[in-house]
Amino acid sequence: MRASNWTAWVAAMGISVTGWAAPETPIIRSPARGDCAARRPVFSWTVTNEKAPRYLIRITRGGSIYLDKWTQKTRWVPSFDFPEGAYEVRVVGYDGVEYGSWSARVKFRRVFTPVVSSINGLTRDGGNVQLVAGEGIAIEPVASNNSVIISACGITATQIVERSVTTEKIDNYAITYVKLADNAVYGRTLVDGAITEPKLSDQSVTTHKLADGAVTSVKLADGAVTSNKIAAGAVPLSSLAQAGASPGHALTWNGSAWTPGTLYAGYAEGYISAPSGAEGNGSVALGEGSDVMGNYSAALGGRQNQISSNANNSVVVGGAMNSIKKDSSYSVVLGGTENQVAESYSYSLGRGARATNEGTFVWSDSTVSGVGSWGPNTVTFKANGGVRFQSDSPGQANHRVQWVPGDSSWQFSSDRNLKEGFSPVDPRAVLEKVAALPVQSWRFKGYSRAHVGVMAQDFHAAFPLEGASETMIDSADLQGISLAAIQGLYAELQEARARIRVLEEKAAQP
């Protein structure tokens, strides 16, 4: 529900709401309008007063959504390079119930900053400038765009006297890979043992600097490659051998080697515009654009679900835009959309269910208005079509208890076809027992509300009914006894009227 719709609904219902406001409109600070040379632009924004719990960054390109990113911060830096082109960005706040207003749109163009490598159109007083290459300099003309490329020539092995260059004569870091021509150094040009680990700086050898097949297992000493010597992401999945695996298989360890095995869980690949993030200890986040900050908590499937910090041991299962708020531990949201838990030990499910008290269960139907809890340790159902409880026991009558909008009380099954063992009752005998029943005012222990009625033990002593609990009273039995007593009273009233008529007739005789 947008803030404007919420305000209109509150006004229409005649409800006075104080202290509520939709999230503030963000003001984008970066990137600036115009050209942006950064490969990974920094997206940042500010708000005047209170920061929203979550923000949605929407980036479009060519009129279509390029990326939607949810974040709890007011700054986001992508982990990938933006391609060259024109983009538009805007930001909106979301507090778990309402969206605020979108920020102003900021248009920027991602451009590449070229490295100057040519000189184009050199003239002097209308004449041409002649470029002469000196020692160690190469000049390459480019006729297609009337330019030249000026570069330094490398030193080749034929220009160096054998053994004139030794490691002792070279300063630390004097030779870097950018100073070496392609294929200048290869296995046959190195003396065995010439390159050792202490002679290599960190990150000096990376996968893109090694030719395919340059490093084999026979060229590596035992223990030369360990996990702490391999940078994160240095070995991508594409570089791993298939090892006999086919689609639907996974590599499993059989105790001595990795072998193909069958996947017993189904999966499907698809486009996810915003990855999920798990920041809490032992937390899990699956689906699109979901964030889990609580410890040992999980968002399992769905999109844009959130578990805030210190909401520990909690879970959101599927659905969209559901949230478990800060400090709401041991809580659950089961699917649906826009459901919220704001206190511990609570559940919410459906659409717009809000468990805002501790130890509550809230279920809301598909209508957009939603429903909230009404106190600690309570259960709330919102069902515009009604509520029904029904048994299904083979060989026995199936009972139904239901309430639908418009009813003033619960309705119970009383179909003759569900009943057996009929026997008449004596209305006058029932009337006498009812007249003898103690009727008192009373309160349940520990509560202040007063009631008027009979005690279950007195009721069952007067009307022993097979199978009934002596500490409970079935409302159907209470109604039946009341109706029988009324019939007994009616019969006595009729007899009294008959006797009165006889006396009146005698009195009227002369």
Side-chain angles (χ1 to χ4, degrees), residues 1 10 15 36 42 58 73 103 116 130 139 153 160 163 181 187 207 216 237 285 330 336-337 392 407 433 456 503 505:
M1 182 184 291
V10 169
I15 299 173
C36 174
V42 176
R58 173 157 293 174
K73 302 177 181 178
S103 68
V116 178
Q130 183 177 6
I139 300 176
C153 296
I160 302 175
R163 299 187 183 278
T207 53
T216 62
L237 293 177
Y330 309 101
T337 182
D392 187 7
D407 290 344
K433 292 180 179 181
L503 292 175
E505 289 174 357

Side-chain angles (χ1 to χ4, degrees), residues 24 32 100 121 146 163 209 221 226 228 242 269 299 313 336 349 360 384 397 401 468 475 497 509:
E24 292 185 48
N146 190 28
R163 299 187 183 278
K209 298 175 187 176
T226 59
N228 60 3
Q242 183 174 328
E269 297 181 353
N313 305 290
L349 61 158
T360 57
N384 283 353
V401 180
S475 61
R497 287 177 176 174
Q509 293 177 358

Side-chain angles (χ1 to χ4, degrees), residues 16-29:
S16 175
V17 178
T18 59
W20 175 88
E24 292 185 48
T25 303
I27 301 173
I28 295 179
R29 299 303 184 189

Side-chain angles (χ1 to χ4, degrees), residues 103-147:
S103 68
R105 301 172 188 264
V106 172
K107 297 181 179 180
F108 67 95
R109 178 178 295 277
R110 167 74 180 92
V111 297
F112 290 109
T113 303
V115 177
V116 178
S117 61
S118 64
I119 304 174
N120 189 16
L122 287 176
T123 61
R124 184 179 63 187
D125 298 331
N128 294 327
V129 174
Q130 183 177 6
L131 299 176
V132 179
E135 184 177 358
I137 299 295
I139 300 176
E140 179 184 358
V142 182
S144 61
N145 59 4
N146 190 28
S147 66

